[in-house]
Amino acid sequence: MTSYGDARPSGCTPFEEELMNAMNDYANASEAPGFDAPGIVRRTRRRRAVGIAAVATALILAGGGTALATSAAGGSKAAPSSSVAKSDAATMVYGFSDGGTVKIDFAGWYVGDAKNYMLKTQTKVGTITKKATPRCKPDSVIGVSPHAPKVVKKGDTVNFTVCAR
Amino acid sequence: VETDFHGFVAARSAALFRGALVLTGNRDAAEDLVQETLERACRKWRTISAKDAPDAYVRRIMVNLANDRWRRFRRTVPQPDGPERAASGDEYGQVDSRDQLVRALQQLPMRMRTVVVLRYFHDLSDIEIAADLDISPSTVRSQLARGIEKLRGQFPALSGPSPRQHTEGIR
């Protein structure tokens, strides 16, 4: 067996043995530092929550901007997303594997944005039902199922009810 | 699941650190590398803990992270002067040869060094190394051969038979 074949380096050349000894000596000369596992878990959890919150905020701001633009262009006939009553019916509670949860209020979101967001949470989009509702923006989300207080986890399917044109 | 991760860190972080130290040649860099590796592992812990060999999976994260990090690192920071001194002939014989060998190892390109470390420190086969680095076994073999030749060229006294004789012997 040699260093060039597919076998392990047992029975290798003196040079290879010396290389192995050198690496082992070097590695064993330093004492390993302690790694703070609870700290790592806390940081990971915090980053995950901050990431989701940031995406949610960005999407909400984008939704608000779109509503403003529609309002400016369409005058009085525009139906701003904020007019949709915010209730638990359109709020999804997402549960992390570590037990933490975050509420995402989809009320007034454009359904396409909501679907993109679902990809990030690794949940599946189920049926999208259109419902004629007064004073809502077409294709904006007016309900999700399951909704709060039920918790949705990665891989679950979520159905949407959107405002009909 | 969380307790499981804590147990893994307690049991395996020292071994990971030793591997990182040989790979980077720098204690601070090794510590950062292991810290980042454990953070990534924590994010995917549910998947990793379900695998047959979580250890191997985490090591794979670490070596790939080291390769990625090295590319970023090399763009912004000049290489440390330590390894360059190892190549100078006039110091040969004055410094411990094993120390020089480790310094010379740090001079190898990162991918080549990773292959050498995985083979001779982690004792992996070509196929295992290929799977870890997502390259072909033949690439592993060529990187390994070139890496050893480069190192051997700097330490003729340790080499024994010439590289040519060695290569011919195995064909």
Side-chain angles (χ1 to χ4, degrees):
Chain A
M1 196 220 92
T2 72
S3 63
Y4 298 97
D6 192 19
R8 304 287 174 112
S10 56
C12 46
T13 65
F15 180 79
E16 289 166 331
E17 264 175 32
E18 192 61 18
L19 179 62
M20 282 191 282
N21 291 334
M23 286 194 276
N24 282 319
D25 284 358
Y26 183 70
N28 294 326
S30 289
E31 198 177 322
F35 291 94
D36 175 24
I40 292 171
V41 173
R42 270 198 306 276
R43 266 194 302 280
T44 305
R45 210 181 278 167
R46 199 183 312 136
R47 277 183 198 161
R48 192 184 289 155
V50 167
I52 288 192
V55 172
T57 308
L59 286 173
I60 288 166
L61 287 176
T66 309
L68 276 175
T70 312
S71 170
S76 60
K77 66 178 179 179
S81 58
S82 56
S83 68
V84 175
K86 288 192 176 178
S87 69
D88 282 352
T91 303
M92 181 179 100
V93 182
Y94 182 77
F96 297 105
S97 53
D98 55 22
T101 57
V102 65
K103 277 189 175 184
I104 304 151
D105 186 359
F106 283 112
W109 284 34
Y110 171 63
V111 67
D113 292 339
K115 279 160 79 175
N116 286 340
Y117 188 78
M118 298 301 279
L119 289 177
K120 290 184 199 303
T121 59
Q122 294 183 30
T123 45
K124 293 173 197 154
V125 178
T127 57
I128 296 175
T129 312
K130 292 201 170 189
K131 187 177 172 188
T133 309
R135 295 194 318 159
C136 68
K137 198 167 123 192
D139 285 334
S140 64
V141 177
I142 54 176
V144 293
S145 173
H147 60 74
K150 278 193 180 168
V151 177
V152 174
K153 292 200 169 164
K154 182 177 158 187
D156 287 354
T157 302
V158 177
N159 302 318
F160 284 88
T161 306
V162 300
C163 180
R165 286 178 191 280
Chain B
V1 172
E2 201 173 296
T3 319
D4 196 19
F5 178 74
H6 292 184
F8 177 85
V9 172
R12 303 301 305 156
S13 61
L16 276 174
F17 175 76
R18 284 195 291 274
L21 192 59
V22 175
L23 201 56
T24 59
N26 178 295
R27 191 182 162 85
D28 290 339
E31 204 171 328
D32 285 353
L33 180 59
V34 175
Q35 179 75 24
E36 202 169 332
T37 301
L38 291 174
E39 284 178 11
R40 290 202 180 190
C42 181
R43 271 181 247 163
K44 301 182 191 170
W45 187 248
R46 192 179 284 268
T47 312
I48 294 172
S49 60
K51 294 196 178 286
D52 290 340
D55 233 15
Y57 196 88
V58 175
R59 187 195 57 233
R60 185 180 291 194
I61 293 176
M62 189 176 83
V63 293
N64 285 296
L65 201 53
N67 277 268
D68 294 346
R69 171 179 289 214
W70 181 254
R71 278 195 284 273
R72 288 206 302 267
F73 183 71
R74 195 174 41 180
R75 276 202 292 269
T76 53
V77 183
Q79 297 217 12
D81 58 2
E84 276 145 28
R85 291 195 293 128
S88 58
D90 57 345
E91 282 194 11
Y92 183 72
Q94 293 172 10
V95 185
D96 174 54
S97 67
R98 287 186 180 172
D99 185 45
Q100 275 203 334
L101 207 44
V102 172
R103 284 165 181 258
L105 176 71
Q106 304 308 322
Q107 273 194 304
L108 295 181
M110 191 58 182
R111 176 71 76 179
M112 193 180 281
R113 189 195 317 168
T114 306
V115 170
V116 171
V117 169
L118 287 175
R119 164 55 65 90
Y120 293 105
F121 185 73
H122 291 279
D123 196 21
L124 301 188
S125 71
D126 290 353
I127 291 168
E128 287 168 320
I129 297 170
D132 268 16
L133 299 177
D134 199 18
I135 54 178
S136 69
S138 60
T139 306
V140 171
R141 281 191 286 276
S142 74
Q143 291 273 302
L144 198 55
R146 284 165 54 204
I148 289 296
E149 289 311 311
K150 277 193 177 188
L151 292 174
R152 203 192 290 272
Q154 293 182 50
F155 299 92
L158 292 174
S159 298
S162 75
R164 192 173 170 182
Q165 284 167 335
H166 181 72
T167 307
E168 284 169 356
I170 58 117
R171 279 182 182 163

